[in-house]
Amino acid sequence: MESVLLVIHLLIALALVGVILIQRSEGGGLGIGGGTMGGMMSTRGTANLLTRTTGILAGCFMATSLVLAILAGAHKAPTSIIDSMPAQPAAPAAPAQPAVPAQPAPPVAQ
């Protein structure tokens, strides 16, 4: 399921890039979107079609992104540091006896 959705996501991304590059900008873009497109539609109709197509593809891209993120998060089970701790702490064999402090050295005259 996840791999199929990933392939669809990539196809949508490529289509979105293609539709954006076809659109005519003030700089001219690729220049493909200009003119009458073979007499099929007017320039204004072509711009509206490309704008709608871009919006629909962008919505589909965002939806597939969210679904892929949800699917990726579902595979990982939450873990806790407390779960990885040993059940019983290691008990010391015998309590350590405090060491006798050393006698201070007498002051040395200078």
Side-chain angles (χ1 to χ4, degrees):
M1 171 71 181
E2 191 172 346
S3 61
V4 172
L5 194 59
L6 185 60
V7 169
I8 292 171
H9 184 72
L10 291 174
L11 291 175
I12 291 172
L14 290 174
L16 188 60
V17 168
V19 169
I20 289 173
L21 287 176
I22 288 174
Q23 291 181 11
R24 186 177 185 107
S25 64
E26 292 188 23
L30 289 178
I32 300 172
T36 60
M37 226 172 157
M40 183 177 76
M41 297 176 70
S42 66
T43 305
R44 184 177 179 104
T46 304
N48 287 338
L49 175 68
L50 291 175
T51 302
R52 285 188 191 133
T53 305
T54 303
I56 291 169
L57 286 174
C60 291
F61 183 80
M62 290 175 58
T64 55
S65 296
L66 287 173
V67 172
L68 282 170
I70 291 169
L71 287 177
H75 290 288
K76 187 175 181 183
T79 59
S80 175
I81 297 174
I82 297 173
D83 295 338
S84 64
M85 291 176 51
Q88 294 290 332
Q97 296 294 329
V100 178
Q103 293 293 330
V108 178
Q110 293 189 14

